Amino acid sequence: MDFLSSNSMMMLEKSMGYLWTKQAAILDNVANAETPNYKTKVVTFEEKLRDRLESAGRSQTPKKDVRDVLENSEFAVFEAQETTRADDNGVNVTEQTVELARNAYQIQYVQQSISSSLSILRMAVRGQ
């Protein structure tokens, strides 16, 4: 296995995909804050992945099972059923704005992690 297909890089790749999908869902939610009957989109990934990784860690072949979990992990987008407004719109703009900022910080962190990993690889290739 090479560096670019390592479990760490695969996890960073999956995380970035999840965060971009979450960003798009949040932006859709804010854009539809005044649309009647619009249900808030929610993206899930972290909880299910954590449970599957913990289970793989307890198996007889943890390295192989962790790899399988990473390769087969997908995030899901669903509509929240909770509404608090008379027009049946479920978007709380303040909550979505906070989540947007939080998500932006997470994207920044993952980008920095990817950049750092690639810098280490670049140094190794150059022999420094």
Side-chain angles (χ1 to χ4, degrees):
M1 179 177 350
D2 63 50
F3 179 77
L4 294 175
S5 64
S6 67
N7 287 351
S8 297
M9 286 303 283
M10 185 177 291
M11 186 64 210
L12 289 170
E13 177 186 343
K14 292 281 185 172
S15 295
M16 188 59 80
Y18 159 70
L19 291 168
W20 279 115
T21 302
K22 186 175 177 183
Q23 187 90 349
I26 294 168
L27 292 172
D28 282 349
N29 292 340
V30 172
N32 287 290
E34 298 300 321
T35 304
N37 299 318
Y38 180 83
K39 304 297 183 217
T40 304
K41 292 180 185 175
V42 178
V43 183
T44 62
F45 176 68
E46 296 163 327
E47 298 83 13
K48 188 174 182 179
L49 178 65
R50 182 182 320 112
D51 293 343
R52 291 182 69 196
L53 284 173
E54 286 175 358
S55 176
R58 292 188 295 269
S59 75
Q60 297 295 326
T61 56
K63 286 185 181 179
K64 180 186 180 306
D65 291 342
V66 167
R67 181 73 178 185
D68 290 341
V69 167
L70 290 174
E71 287 176 347
N72 298 313
S73 292
E74 297 296 327
F75 38 87
V77 180
F78 66 93
E79 291 180 348
Q81 298 303 314
E82 186 178 307
T83 60
T84 57
R85 294 178 13 192
D87 67 354
D88 247 4
N89 182 301
V91 177
N92 178 331
V93 176
T94 304
E95 180 181 290
Q96 293 298 306
T97 304
V98 168
E99 196 59 31
L100 189 64
R102 179 177 173 265
N103 197 64
Y105 280 118
Q106 288 178 314
I107 288 172
Q108 183 179 14
Y109 174 75
V110 172
Q111 285 175 333
Q112 287 173 348
S113 296
I114 291 169
S115 178
S116 175
S117 295
L118 292 176
S119 292
I120 292 169
L121 179 61
R122 188 171 40 248
M123 284 181 10
V125 168
R126 290 181 181 163
Q128 298 175 343

